Amino acid sequence: QVVQRCLQLGAASARFVSGTMEDTAFAQHVVREAQTSLGGLDMLILNHVGASYFGFFDGDVEHVRKLLEINFLSYVAMATSALPMLKESEGSIVVVSSMAGKVGFPFTVPYSATKFALDGFFSSLRQEFAIQNINVSITLCILGFIDTERAVRAAAEVLRERPAPRDECALEILKGAALRRRELYYRYSSTRLPLLLRDCAAELLDYLVRSRYRLPAA
């Protein structure tokens, strides 16, 4: 269905490869298919996520470990496998992350941990690219509440804010990638602006984060 939709929207061609990102070896298979089918890569967009709960941390360490494998280690594996082709094309890596990877959010402890890990890894990797004169851009996308089915199902009744449209969000991600921006914030008013408080008023930022939720009475 995705391939059919791409063709309807004007893509010259589109292909898909079936697999699970729980298997880090799958990354090598995808990259080989890209080499065979496309002859190389210009852009790698990493935007997959494992299922997690929305609620107080329940102490399930095994769930945190599994989520790290899907939301973090598989991103690392895919980027690493694709890097030779991206170096050749002087292409781009796009990492779809979240405000929960910049600020501690309640009810998303395992998810937030994986997003913080993405920020640390790819921000450090960007530094190493600069030192080695590797012309591969890394765009970290910091997203707020988007109206994807999963996000709305999990958080719509708890979050006070209205979700931003996913089509507009996808377009902004592509624009940021094409411009090789360091970081993309969407929507800007609900992501970048609150982060300006992190260093000068951290407790105020924490309060503002909590105020976004309909919290149960103590």
Side-chain angles (χ1 to χ4, degrees), residues 165-209:
R166 54 190 165 187
D167 291 349
E168 183 179 272
C169 177
L171 181 58
E172 290 302 310
I173 289 173
L174 289 176
K175 286 180 180 178
L179 294 172
R180 300 170 77 90
R181 291 173 58 180
R182 176 189 180 92
E183 291 188 337
L184 163 73
Y185 290 86
Y186 180 83
R187 291 177 166 175
Y188 192 88
S189 60
S190 61
T191 55
R192 185 70 183 103
L193 294 181
L195 286 177
L196 298 176
L197 296 172
R198 263 188 315 183
D199 295 332
C200 62
E203 291 185 359
L204 174 59
L205 177 57
D206 285 349
Y207 170 78
L208 292 175
V209 167

mmCIF file of all heavy atoms in Angstrom, residues 165-209:
data_model
loop_
_atom_site.group_PDB
_atom_site.id
_atom_site.type_symbol
_atom_site.label_atom_id
_atom_site.label_comp_id
_atom_site.label_asym_id
_atom_site.label_seq_id
_atom_site.Cartn_x
_atom_site.Cartn_y
_atom_site.Cartn_z
ATOM 1 N N PRO A 165 -0.423 18.267 12.660
ATOM 2 C CA PRO A 165 -0.725 17.365 11.537
ATOM 3 C C PRO A 165 0.498 16.615 11.034
ATOM 4 O O PRO A 165 1.550 17.207 10.814
ATOM 5 C CB PRO A 165 -1.283 18.302 10.458
ATOM 6 C CG PRO A 165 -0.751 19.648 10.816
ATOM 7 C CD PRO A 165 -0.638 19.677 12.306
ATOM 8 N N ARG A 166 0.347 15.330 10.847
ATOM 9 C CA ARG A 166 1.487 14.490 10.458
ATOM 10 C C ARG A 166 1.970 14.783 9.045
ATOM 11 O O ARG A 166 3.163 14.670 8.762
ATOM 12 C CB ARG A 166 1.122 13.009 10.607
ATOM 13 C CG ARG A 166 -0.124 12.593 9.882
ATOM 14 C CD ARG A 166 -0.550 11.199 10.264
ATOM 15 N NE ARG A 166 -1.917 10.920 9.840
ATOM 16 C CZ ARG A 166 -2.577 9.815 10.174
ATOM 17 N NH1 ARG A 166 -1.996 8.902 10.916
ATOM 18 N NH2 ARG A 166 -3.821 9.629 9.771
ATOM 19 N N ASP A 167 1.053 15.146 8.128
ATOM 20 C CA ASP A 167 1.482 15.455 6.755
ATOM 21 C C ASP A 167 2.402 16.672 6.741
ATOM 22 O O ASP A 167 3.434 16.675 6.062
ATOM 23 C CB ASP A 167 0.269 15.712 5.857
ATOM 24 C CG ASP A 167 -0.544 14.457 5.591
ATOM 25 O OD1 ASP A 167 -0.051 13.363 5.933
ATOM 26 O OD2 ASP A 167 -1.654 14.561 5.054
ATOM 27 N N GLU A 168 2.021 17.707 7.491
ATOM 28 C CA GLU A 168 2.851 18.905 7.576
ATOM 29 C C GLU A 168 4.186 18.584 8.235
ATOM 30 O O GLU A 168 5.232 19.074 7.811
ATOM 31 C CB GLU A 168 2.116 19.982 8.366
ATOM 32 C CG GLU A 168 2.860 21.309 8.456
ATOM 33 C CD GLU A 168 2.068 22.349 9.234
ATOM 34 O OE1 GLU A 168 1.257 23.056 8.603
ATOM 35 O OE2 GLU A 168 2.258 22.441 10.465
ATOM 36 N N CYS A 169 4.139 17.744 9.251
ATOM 37 C CA CYS A 169 5.367 17.339 9.944
ATOM 38 C C CYS A 169 6.307 16.614 8.986
ATOM 39 O O CYS A 169 7.514 16.894 8.957
ATOM 40 C CB CYS A 169 5.013 16.442 11.127
ATOM 41 S SG CYS A 169 6.432 15.801 12.022
ATOM 42 N N ALA A 170 5.778 15.693 8.202
ATOM 43 C CA ALA A 170 6.609 14.940 7.252
ATOM 44 C C ALA A 170 7.271 15.881 6.250
ATOM 45 O O ALA A 170 8.449 15.714 5.909
ATOM 46 C CB ALA A 170 5.754 13.906 6.528
ATOM 47 N N LEU A 171 6.523 16.879 5.787
ATOM 48 C CA LEU A 171 7.078 17.834 4.834
ATOM 49 C C LEU A 171 8.202 18.647 5.465
ATOM 50 O O LEU A 171 9.245 18.884 4.838
ATOM 51 C CB LEU A 171 5.977 18.766 4.327
ATOM 52 C CG LEU A 171 6.404 19.813 3.287
ATOM 53 C CD1 LEU A 171 7.018 19.146 2.062
ATOM 54 C CD2 LEU A 171 5.216 20.684 2.893
ATOM 55 N N GLU A 172 8.021 19.048 6.727
ATOM 56 C CA GLU A 172 9.057 19.810 7.413
ATOM 57 C C GLU A 172 10.322 18.967 7.608
ATOM 58 O O GLU A 172 11.443 19.476 7.522
ATOM 59 C CB GLU A 172 8.541 20.315 8.764
ATOM 60 C CG GLU A 172 7.492 21.402 8.665
ATOM 61 C CD GLU A 172 7.999 22.616 7.896
ATOM 62 O OE1 GLU A 172 9.111 23.106 8.225
ATOM 63 O OE2 GLU A 172 7.307 23.067 6.972
ATOM 64 N N ILE A 173 10.147 17.682 7.863
ATOM 65 C CA ILE A 173 11.303 16.790 8.000
ATOM 66 C C ILE A 173 12.082 16.739 6.690
ATOM 67 O O ILE A 173 13.318 16.834 6.672
ATOM 68 C CB ILE A 173 10.846 15.383 8.431
ATOM 69 C CG1 ILE A 173 10.359 15.402 9.885
ATOM 70 C CG2 ILE A 173 11.979 14.361 8.271
ATOM 71 C CD1 ILE A 173 9.733 14.099 10.340
ATOM 72 N N LEU A 174 11.372 16.597 5.577
ATOM 73 C CA LEU A 174 12.036 16.540 4.271
ATOM 74 C C LEU A 174 12.739 17.864 3.949
ATOM 75 O O LEU A 174 13.845 17.861 3.402
ATOM 76 C CB LEU A 174 11.021 16.198 3.182
ATOM 77 C CG LEU A 174 10.492 14.765 3.202
ATOM 78 C CD1 LEU A 174 9.415 14.578 2.142
ATOM 79 C CD2 LEU A 174 11.622 13.775 2.982
ATOM 80 N N LYS A 175 12.108 18.976 4.292
ATOM 81 C CA LYS A 175 12.740 20.274 4.058
ATOM 82 C C LYS A 175 14.030 20.395 4.873
ATOM 83 O O LYS A 175 15.067 20.833 4.366
ATOM 84 C CB LYS A 175 11.779 21.407 4.443
ATOM 85 C CG LYS A 175 10.637 21.631 3.482
ATOM 86 C CD LYS A 175 9.764 22.778 3.982
ATOM 87 C CE LYS A 175 8.587 23.054 3.066
ATOM 88 N NZ LYS A 175 7.723 24.143 3.612
ATOM 89 N N GLY A 176 13.951 20.029 6.150
ATOM 90 C CA GLY A 176 15.130 20.103 7.006
ATOM 91 C C GLY A 176 16.255 19.223 6.509
ATOM 92 O O GLY A 176 17.428 19.603 6.553
ATOM 93 N N ALA A 177 15.891 18.042 6.011
ATOM 94 C CA ALA A 177 16.903 17.130 5.480
ATOM 95 C C ALA A 177 17.542 17.694 4.218
ATOM 96 O O ALA A 177 18.764 17.644 4.040
ATOM 97 C CB ALA A 177 16.264 15.774 5.194
ATOM 98 N N ALA A 178 16.708 18.238 3.313
ATOM 99 C CA ALA A 178 17.220 18.781 2.063
ATOM 100 C C ALA A 178 18.152 19.967 2.312
ATOM 101 O O ALA A 178 19.139 20.151 1.589
ATOM 102 C CB ALA A 178 16.060 19.202 1.164
ATOM 103 N N LEU A 179 17.862 20.741 3.345
ATOM 104 C CA LEU A 179 18.696 21.900 3.680
ATOM 105 C C LEU A 179 19.878 21.523 4.571
ATOM 106 O O LEU A 179 20.667 22.385 4.949
ATOM 107 C CB LEU A 179 17.846 22.966 4.379
ATOM 108 C CG LEU A 179 16.749 23.608 3.513
ATOM 109 C CD1 LEU A 179 15.844 24.502 4.363
ATOM 110 C CD2 LEU A 179 17.367 24.413 2.376
ATOM 111 N N ARG A 180 19.973 20.231 4.921
ATOM 112 C CA ARG A 180 21.057 19.698 5.745
ATOM 113 C C ARG A 180 21.163 20.455 7.074
ATOM 114 O O ARG A 180 22.255 20.784 7.545
ATOM 115 C CB ARG A 180 22.389 19.748 4.970
ATOM 116 C CG ARG A 180 22.352 18.949 3.694
ATOM 117 C CD ARG A 180 23.562 19.174 2.817
ATOM 118 N NE ARG A 180 24.732 18.458 3.308
ATOM 119 C CZ ARG A 180 25.063 17.208 2.961
ATOM 120 N NH1 ARG A 180 24.300 16.523 2.142
ATOM 121 N NH2 ARG A 180 26.166 16.645 3.428
ATOM 122 N N ARG A 181 19.997 20.703 7.669
ATOM 123 C CA ARG A 181 19.972 21.412 8.939
ATOM 124 C C ARG A 181 20.469 20.514 10.065
ATOM 125 O O ARG A 181 20.256 19.297 10.056
ATOM 126 C CB ARG A 181 18.557 21.905 9.249
ATOM 127 C CG ARG A 181 18.088 23.009 8.323
ATOM 128 C CD ARG A 181 16.639 23.368 8.527
ATOM 129 N NE ARG A 181 16.344 23.780 9.892
ATOM 130 C CZ ARG A 181 15.132 24.145 10.305
ATOM 131 N NH1 ARG A 181 14.125 24.144 9.447
ATOM 132 N NH2 ARG A 181 14.937 24.514 11.551
ATOM 133 N N ARG A 182 21.091 21.109 11.051
ATOM 134 C CA ARG A 182 21.610 20.376 12.202
ATOM 135 C C ARG A 182 20.468 19.797 13.034
ATOM 136 O O ARG A 182 20.472 18.612 13.379
ATOM 137 C CB ARG A 182 22.457 21.325 13.050
ATOM 138 C CG ARG A 182 22.995 20.741 14.348
ATOM 139 C CD ARG A 182 23.624 21.829 15.203
ATOM 140 N NE ARG A 182 24.151 21.308 16.446
ATOM 141 C CZ ARG A 182 25.395 20.892 16.617
ATOM 142 N NH1 ARG A 182 26.249 20.939 15.600
ATOM 143 N NH2 ARG A 182 25.802 20.424 17.782
ATOM 144 N N GLU A 183 19.490 20.624 13.353
ATOM 145 C CA GLU A 183 18.328 20.199 14.106
ATOM 146 C C GLU A 183 17.081 20.855 13.533
ATOM 147 O O GLU A 183 17.112 22.004 13.100
ATOM 148 C CB GLU A 183 18.457 20.540 15.598
ATOM 149 C CG GLU A 183 19.515 19.726 16.318
ATOM 150 C CD GLU A 183 19.517 19.930 17.820
ATOM 151 O OE1 GLU A 183 19.035 20.987 18.292
ATOM 152 O OE2 GLU A 183 20.013 19.037 18.527
ATOM 153 N N LEU A 184 15.997 20.107 13.531
ATOM 154 C CA LEU A 184 14.700 20.600 13.102
ATOM 155 C C LEU A 184 13.749 20.512 14.284
ATOM 156 O O LEU A 184 13.658 19.467 14.940
ATOM 157 C CB LEU A 184 14.171 19.747 11.946
ATOM 158 C CG LEU A 184 12.680 19.882 11.649
ATOM 159 C CD1 LEU A 184 12.400 21.228 10.991
ATOM 160 C CD2 LEU A 184 12.179 18.741 10.773
ATOM 161 N N TYR A 185 13.029 21.596 14.560
ATOM 162 C CA TYR A 185 12.059 21.622 15.650
ATOM 163 C C TYR A 185 10.666 21.815 15.075
ATOM 164 O O TYR A 185 10.411 22.772 14.344
ATOM 165 C CB TYR A 185 12.387 22.755 16.629
ATOM 166 C CG TYR A 185 13.645 22.512 17.433
ATOM 167 C CD1 TYR A 185 14.890 22.864 16.925
ATOM 168 C CD2 TYR A 185 13.590 21.891 18.676
ATOM 169 C CE1 TYR A 185 16.046 22.624 17.645
ATOM 170 C CE2 TYR A 185 14.743 21.648 19.405
ATOM 171 C CZ TYR A 185 15.967 22.014 18.883
ATOM 172 O OH TYR A 185 17.124 21.773 19.594
ATOM 173 N N TYR A 186 9.758 20.888 15.421
ATOM 174 C CA TYR A 186 8.388 20.969 14.918
ATOM 175 C C TYR A 186 7.426 20.499 16.021
ATOM 176 O O TYR A 186 7.611 19.418 16.569
ATOM 177 C CB TYR A 186 8.216 20.102 13.683
ATOM 178 C CG TYR A 186 6.804 20.168 13.150
ATOM 179 C CD1 TYR A 186 6.416 21.208 12.315
ATOM 180 C CD2 TYR A 186 5.857 19.225 13.509
ATOM 181 C CE1 TYR A 186 5.121 21.294 11.839
ATOM 182 C CE2 TYR A 186 4.555 19.308 13.044
ATOM 183 C CZ TYR A 186 4.196 20.335 12.211
ATOM 184 O OH TYR A 186 2.915 20.433 11.753
ATOM 185 N N ARG A 187 6.403 21.303 16.336
ATOM 186 C CA ARG A 187 6.328 22.695 15.936
ATOM 187 C C ARG A 187 7.252 23.548 16.790
ATOM 188 O O ARG A 187 7.460 23.248 17.962
ATOM 189 C CB ARG A 187 4.901 23.203 16.034
ATOM 190 C CG ARG A 187 3.974 22.603 15.011
ATOM 191 C CD ARG A 187 2.579 23.100 15.217
ATOM 192 N NE ARG A 187 1.740 22.801 14.054
ATOM 193 C CZ ARG A 187 0.437 23.057 14.028
ATOM 194 N NH1 ARG A 187 -0.149 23.615 15.061
ATOM 195 N NH2 ARG A 187 -0.260 22.734 12.959
ATOM 196 N N TYR A 188 7.749 24.617 16.206
ATOM 197 C CA TYR A 188 8.791 25.415 16.860
ATOM 198 C C TYR A 188 8.325 25.964 18.197
ATOM 199 O O TYR A 188 9.061 25.928 19.187
ATOM 200 C CB TYR A 188 9.204 26.563 15.934
ATOM 201 C CG TYR A 188 10.453 27.291 16.369
ATOM 202 C CD1 TYR A 188 11.709 26.836 15.966
ATOM 203 C CD2 TYR A 188 10.379 28.413 17.180
ATOM 204 C CE1 TYR A 188 12.860 27.501 16.350
ATOM 205 C CE2 TYR A 188 11.528 29.083 17.577
ATOM 206 C CZ TYR A 188 12.766 28.627 17.156
ATOM 207 O OH TYR A 188 13.904 29.280 17.552
ATOM 208 N N SER A 189 7.097 26.450 18.251
ATOM 209 C CA SER A 189 6.608 27.102 19.477
ATOM 210 C C SER A 189 6.482 26.137 20.644
ATOM 211 O O SER A 189 6.624 26.533 21.801
ATOM 212 C CB SER A 189 5.258 27.773 19.213
ATOM 213 O OG SER A 189 4.301 26.807 18.787
ATOM 214 N N SER A 190 6.232 24.875 20.369
ATOM 215 C CA SER A 190 6.045 23.902 21.453
ATOM 216 C C SER A 190 7.273 23.036 21.697
ATOM 217 O O SER A 190 7.261 22.186 22.592
ATOM 218 C CB SER A 190 4.843 22.998 21.146
ATOM 219 O OG SER A 190 5.057 22.275 19.950
ATOM 220 N N THR A 191 8.336 23.251 20.908
ATOM 221 C CA THR A 191 9.553 22.456 21.089
ATOM 222 C C THR A 191 10.771 23.332 21.377
ATOM 223 O O THR A 191 11.316 23.304 22.474
ATOM 224 C CB THR A 191 9.815 21.577 19.848
ATOM 225 O OG1 THR A 191 9.858 22.398 18.674
ATOM 226 C CG2 THR A 191 8.736 20.523 19.688
ATOM 227 N N ARG A 192 11.170 24.137 20.418
ATOM 228 C CA ARG A 192 12.402 24.922 20.587
ATOM 229 C C ARG A 192 12.274 25.996 21.662
ATOM 230 O O ARG A 192 13.179 26.167 22.484
ATOM 231 C CB ARG A 192 12.792 25.579 19.258
ATOM 232 C CG ARG A 192 14.128 26.315 19.322
ATOM 233 C CD ARG A 192 15.276 25.331 19.453
ATOM 234 N NE ARG A 192 16.560 25.988 19.587
ATOM 235 C CZ ARG A 192 17.225 26.114 20.720
ATOM 236 N NH1 ARG A 192 16.707 25.630 21.838
ATOM 237 N NH2 ARG A 192 18.400 26.693 20.761
ATOM 238 N N LEU A 193 11.181 26.724 21.666
ATOM 239 C CA LEU A 193 11.036 27.825 22.617
ATOM 240 C C LEU A 193 11.097 27.358 24.077
ATOM 241 O O LEU A 193 11.817 27.951 24.883
ATOM 242 C CB LEU A 193 9.750 28.604 22.338
ATOM 243 C CG LEU A 193 9.713 29.363 21.004
ATOM 244 C CD1 LEU A 193 8.393 30.113 20.846
ATOM 245 C CD2 LEU A 193 10.885 30.338 20.909
ATOM 246 N N PRO A 194 10.386 26.286 24.468
ATOM 247 C CA PRO A 194 10.514 25.825 25.855
ATOM 248 C C PRO A 194 11.933 25.399 26.223
ATOM 249 O O PRO A 194 12.355 25.569 27.370
ATOM 250 C CB PRO A 194 9.550 24.631 25.918
ATOM 251 C CG PRO A 194 8.558 24.886 24.838
ATOM 252 C CD PRO A 194 9.331 25.548 23.746
ATOM 253 N N LEU A 195 12.683 24.883 25.245
ATOM 254 C CA LEU A 195 14.040 24.421 25.544
ATOM 255 C C LEU A 195 14.985 25.564 25.897
ATOM 256 O O LEU A 195 16.036 25.335 26.492
ATOM 257 C CB LEU A 195 14.603 23.639 24.355
ATOM 258 C CG LEU A 195 14.026 22.234 24.154
ATOM 259 C CD1 LEU A 195 14.595 21.596 22.910
ATOM 260 C CD2 LEU A 195 14.283 21.360 25.368
ATOM 261 N N LEU A 196 14.614 26.791 25.540
ATOM 262 C CA LEU A 196 15.446 27.936 25.900
ATOM 263 C C LEU A 196 15.513 28.127 27.412
ATOM 264 O O LEU A 196 16.405 28.802 27.919
ATOM 265 C CB LEU A 196 14.905 29.210 25.231
ATOM 266 C CG LEU A 196 14.900 29.206 23.695
ATOM 267 C CD1 LEU A 196 14.261 30.483 23.171
ATOM 268 C CD2 LEU A 196 16.314 29.062 23.148
ATOM 269 N N LEU A 197 14.587 27.493 28.129
ATOM 270 C CA LEU A 197 14.549 27.627 29.587
ATOM 271 C C LEU A 197 15.437 26.606 30.295
ATOM 272 O O LEU A 197 15.649 26.713 31.501
ATOM 273 C CB LEU A 197 13.113 27.450 30.093
ATOM 274 C CG LEU A 197 12.089 28.488 29.640
ATOM 275 C CD1 LEU A 197 10.693 28.041 30.070
ATOM 276 C CD2 LEU A 197 12.425 29.851 30.237
ATOM 277 N N ARG A 198 15.951 25.627 29.561
ATOM 278 C CA ARG A 198 16.664 24.518 30.215
ATOM 279 C C ARG A 198 17.799 24.972 31.117
ATOM 280 O O ARG A 198 17.950 24.485 32.245
ATOM 281 C CB ARG A 198 17.226 23.555 29.167
ATOM 282 C CG ARG A 198 16.366 22.362 28.914
ATOM 283 C CD ARG A 198 17.061 21.364 28.036
ATOM 284 N NE ARG A 198 17.717 21.996 26.888
ATOM 285 C CZ ARG A 198 18.347 21.318 25.936
ATOM 286 N NH1 ARG A 198 18.403 20.020 25.993
ATOM 287 N NH2 ARG A 198 18.917 21.961 24.930
ATOM 288 N N ASP A 199 18.628 25.864 30.640
ATOM 289 C CA ASP A 199 19.822 26.251 31.395
ATOM 290 C C ASP A 199 19.553 27.325 32.437
ATOM 291 O O ASP A 199 20.191 27.354 33.481
ATOM 292 C CB ASP A 199 20.918 26.729 30.431
ATOM 293 C CG ASP A 199 21.412 25.614 29.526
ATOM 294 O OD1 ASP A 199 21.340 24.448 29.946
ATOM 295 O OD2 ASP A 199 21.847 25.919 28.405
ATOM 296 N N CYS A 200 18.601 28.206 32.150
ATOM 297 C CA CYS A 200 18.381 29.335 33.055
ATOM 298 C C CYS A 200 17.222 29.132 34.015
ATOM 299 O O CYS A 200 17.169 29.792 35.068
ATOM 300 C CB CYS A 200 18.179 30.628 32.257
ATOM 301 S SG CYS A 200 16.724 30.591 31.179
ATOM 302 N N ALA A 201 16.299 28.240 33.692
ATOM 303 C CA ALA A 201 15.132 28.052 34.562
ATOM 304 C C ALA A 201 14.623 26.617 34.431
ATOM 305 O O ALA A 201 13.506 26.365 33.982
ATOM 306 C CB ALA A 201 14.042 29.051 34.196
ATOM 307 N N ALA A 202 15.454 25.660 34.831
ATOM 308 C CA ALA A 202 15.143 24.243 34.651
ATOM 309 C C ALA A 202 13.874 23.824 35.393
ATOM 310 O O ALA A 202 13.059 23.060 34.879
ATOM 311 C CB ALA A 202 16.317 23.388 35.097
ATOM 312 N N GLU A 203 13.705 24.325 36.629
ATOM 313 C CA GLU A 203 12.525 23.945 37.395
ATOM 314 C C GLU A 203 11.253 24.506 36.773
ATOM 315 O O GLU A 203 10.193 23.857 36.799
ATOM 316 C CB GLU A 203 12.667 24.410 38.847
ATOM 317 C CG GLU A 203 13.747 23.644 39.609
ATOM 318 C CD GLU A 203 13.795 24.016 41.083
ATOM 319 O OE1 GLU A 203 13.000 24.889 41.498
ATOM 320 O OE2 GLU A 203 14.620 23.436 41.812
ATOM 321 N N LEU A 204 11.344 25.704 36.206
ATOM 322 C CA LEU A 204 10.190 26.272 35.505
ATOM 323 C C LEU A 204 9.844 25.422 34.293
ATOM 324 O O LEU A 204 8.658 25.166 34.013
ATOM 325 C CB LEU A 204 10.489 27.715 35.084
ATOM 326 C CG LEU A 204 9.424 28.391 34.201
ATOM 327 C CD1 LEU A 204 8.076 28.429 34.916
ATOM 328 C CD2 LEU A 204 9.879 29.794 33.795
ATOM 329 N N LEU A 205 10.863 24.981 33.564
ATOM 330 C CA LEU A 205 10.614 24.124 32.409
ATOM 331 C C LEU A 205 9.939 22.830 32.849
ATOM 332 O O LEU A 205 8.982 22.363 32.211
ATOM 333 C CB LEU A 205 11.921 23.817 31.672
ATOM 334 C CG LEU A 205 11.800 22.859 30.478
ATOM 335 C CD1 LEU A 205 10.807 23.380 29.444
ATOM 336 C CD2 LEU A 205 13.170 22.634 29.834
ATOM 337 N N ASP A 206 10.424 22.231 33.937
ATOM 338 C CA ASP A 206 9.796 21.014 34.461
ATOM 339 C C ASP A 206 8.318 21.254 34.773
ATOM 340 O O ASP A 206 7.450 20.419 34.472
ATOM 341 C CB ASP A 206 10.514 20.545 35.724
ATOM 342 C CG ASP A 206 11.859 19.896 35.426
ATOM 343 O OD1 ASP A 206 12.152 19.627 34.245
ATOM 344 O OD2 ASP A 206 12.621 19.678 36.386
ATOM 345 N N TYR A 207 8.035 22.389 35.386
ATOM 346 C CA TYR A 207 6.641 22.734 35.719
ATOM 347 C C TYR A 207 5.806 22.871 34.453
ATOM 348 O O TYR A 207 4.679 22.371 34.376
ATOM 349 C CB TYR A 207 6.599 24.023 36.535
ATOM 350 C CG TYR A 207 5.207 24.573 36.713
ATOM 351 C CD1 TYR A 207 4.339 24.010 37.646
ATOM 352 C CD2 TYR A 207 4.752 25.620 35.905
ATOM 353 C CE1 TYR A 207 3.041 24.493 37.785
ATOM 354 C CE2 TYR A 207 3.463 26.108 36.039
ATOM 355 C CZ TYR A 207 2.610 25.546 36.973
ATOM 356 O OH TYR A 207 1.331 26.018 37.111
ATOM 357 N N LEU A 208 6.353 23.559 33.448
ATOM 358 C CA LEU A 208 5.623 23.744 32.201
ATOM 359 C C LEU A 208 5.350 22.411 31.500
ATOM 360 O O LEU A 208 4.282 22.213 30.914
ATOM 361 C CB LEU A 208 6.404 24.676 31.272
ATOM 362 C CG LEU A 208 6.513 26.131 31.728
ATOM 363 C CD1 LEU A 208 7.420 26.924 30.782
ATOM 364 C CD2 LEU A 208 5.138 26.785 31.809
ATOM 365 N N VAL A 209 6.333 21.500 31.569
ATOM 366 C CA VAL A 209 6.134 20.170 30.993
ATOM 367 C C VAL A 209 4.975 19.464 31.691
ATOM 368 O O VAL A 209 4.069 18.913 31.051
ATOM 369 C CB VAL A 209 7.424 19.327 31.093
ATOM 370 C CG1 VAL A 209 7.126 17.855 30.798
ATOM 371 C CG2 VAL A 209 8.473 19.852 30.127
#
